[in-house]
Amino acid sequence: MKWQFELTDEPINANYPITAKQILSNGISKGPFYLTTADFLAAFQSEPEELQEPEKDSVLDYTTPALPFGTIRYSSNDTRSRQLITLDIPQKDWEIRYGDSDDVFYTVGFPRLVLQYSVTRNSIESEMTIDQTRLYAVENNGKAITEDTRLFTFPYPNVGKGNGIVCWGRNQRLSITDIVELERMFRWFVAAPFNEDHGVRTTLGISNFRKLIETIQDQPFNDEWLMPANKTFGELFIN
C-alpha cells in the first residue's frame, strides 16, 4: 500500500488544499481524501500508529462514508437522512443506443460532466433512495472545479435543459444500500436508450438527436458545442 498526495494552486476547498489517495497493493485507488496543511505535516511528525496510544479527544465526531470514485463534494444533514454526492465525470467517448435499436450502437463523445445525486434514507435503515439526479457539463480545461466554475447544459436528451434533472424513464426512484454504488449509476444512464425526450441543445443548431449523432459520432466532444446553463457550480448547493 502507498499514499499519493497532491497540492494544487486551485484547491476545491481552500481549507483542505491537499488531496490524498490510497493505492492498495492490487492497484485499487481509495479516496480522494482532503487534508489541511496542519494534518499533512502532523502525519510526518507523529509516531507510527502501533506505537502511539490514541488520545481521548482524537476521535473524530464525524467522517464521510466511503464515497464513489470521482466525488468532489459530499454534504448531508446531521442525521444523514439526506445526502448530496457530487461527482466529476471525465470527458469520454461512450457507445450509446438510439430508440429501440438494441443491436445498433453509436460512438458519441460526451463532455466533462458534473453529476449530483440527492439521496434520502428510507425507513429501512440499510436502504436509500435516489430522489433526484442532476447533470451539467463543464469545460474540459484541466482545471479543478470550484464555486465559480461555469456550468453548461447537458447537450443530449434524457436530461431537462432548464433544471439539469436526469429522466430515468420508468425507474424514477432508484434504491441503493451503499453510497459507493453510485459509481455505476452513470453507466446505467449511458446504457439506457436515448430518444428525443427533453431534446438536444448545442451551438450546432441541430434539434434532432438522430441527426446530431450522424454529425458528431466517432469524434471527441468539442467544448465549443456547449450552451451555457447560466449558473455556477456553487449555485448547485443553494436551497
Side-chain angles (χ1 to χ4, degrees):
M1 183 189 73
K2 63 181 180 180
W3 285 86
Q4 291 181 348
F5 298 95
E6 180 181 353
L7 179 61
T8 175
D9 58 352
E10 293 185 353
I12 297 173
N13 185 331
N15 294 321
Y16 297 87
I18 297 174
T19 303
K21 289 184 180 180
Q22 186 182 52
I23 312 298
L24 303 182
S25 56
N26 58 6
I28 294 176
S29 175
K30 295 287 187 178
F33 308 98
Y34 301 100
L35 308 174
T36 65
T37 304
D39 290 336
F40 180 74
L41 293 175
F44 289 94
Q45 296 171 352
S46 60
E47 299 177 14
E49 291 182 1
E50 63 269 22
L51 301 178
Q52 184 177 6
E53 288 293 329
E55 299 177 6
K56 291 182 179 180
D57 60 354
S58 67
V59 178
L60 298 177
D61 293 327
Y62 179 84
T63 59
T64 66
L67 298 173
F69 183 78
T71 299
I72 53 176
R73 182 168 296 184
Y74 171 86
S75 55
S76 73
N77 58 10
D78 290 341
T79 61
R80 289 190 186 171
S81 60
R82 180 171 182 263
Q83 303 171 80
L84 280 179
I85 302 93
T86 310
L87 285 71
D88 181 356
I89 306 293
Q91 178 176 313
K92 182 180 175 180
D93 294 346
W94 292 89
E95 288 192 340
I96 66 168
R97 291 177 295 154
Y98 178 84
D100 297 326
S101 302
D102 290 339
D103 57 345
V104 179
F105 289 86
Y106 304 90
T107 301
V108 175
F110 278 54
R112 182 186 182 188
L113 300 168
V114 165
L115 177 61
Q116 185 181 77
Y117 298 101
S118 175
V119 177
T120 57
R121 189 170 298 280
N122 300 339
S123 56
I124 302 174
E125 185 66 21
S126 62
E127 202 172 89
M128 292 171 278
T129 297
I130 303 173
D131 292 320
Q132 189 180 90
T133 307
R134 292 195 288 177
L135 189 60
Y136 290 94
V138 294
E139 291 177 307
N140 189 38
N141 53 16
K143 296 182 178 179
I145 295 175
T146 68
E147 298 291 308
D148 298 325
T149 297
R150 289 196 306 158
L151 301 182
F152 295 83
T153 302
F154 179 72
Y156 305 144
N158 298 356
V159 176
K161 296 299 174 279
N163 55 22
I165 296 176
V166 173
C167 175
W168 290 100
R170 297 177 182 177
N171 298 316
Q172 288 297 326
R173 292 179 67 84
L174 303 170
S175 295
I176 58 175
T177 57
D178 194 299
I179 293 296
V180 174
E181 294 177 41
L182 294 175
E183 284 186 12
R184 67 182 186 221
M185 300 306 297
F186 184 70
R187 292 184 178 87
W188 286 9
F189 169 74
V190 174
F194 284 81
N195 45 45
E196 301 295 334
D197 289 352
H198 300 288
V200 296
R201 186 172 296 176
T202 71
T203 58
L204 297 173
I206 301 173
S207 59
N208 180 273
F209 188 47
R210 182 61 179 268
K211 186 175 180 180
L212 182 64
I213 291 174
E214 295 172 356
T215 303
I216 68 172
Q217 67 176 323
D218 298 321
Q219 57 180 305
F221 191 89
N222 189 329
D223 282 352
E224 292 183 359
W225 301 339
L226 291 173
M227 298 284 286
N230 298 319
K231 65 176 61 180
T232 63
F233 177 75
E235 291 175 315
L236 289 180
F237 305 89
I238 300 175
N239 294 326

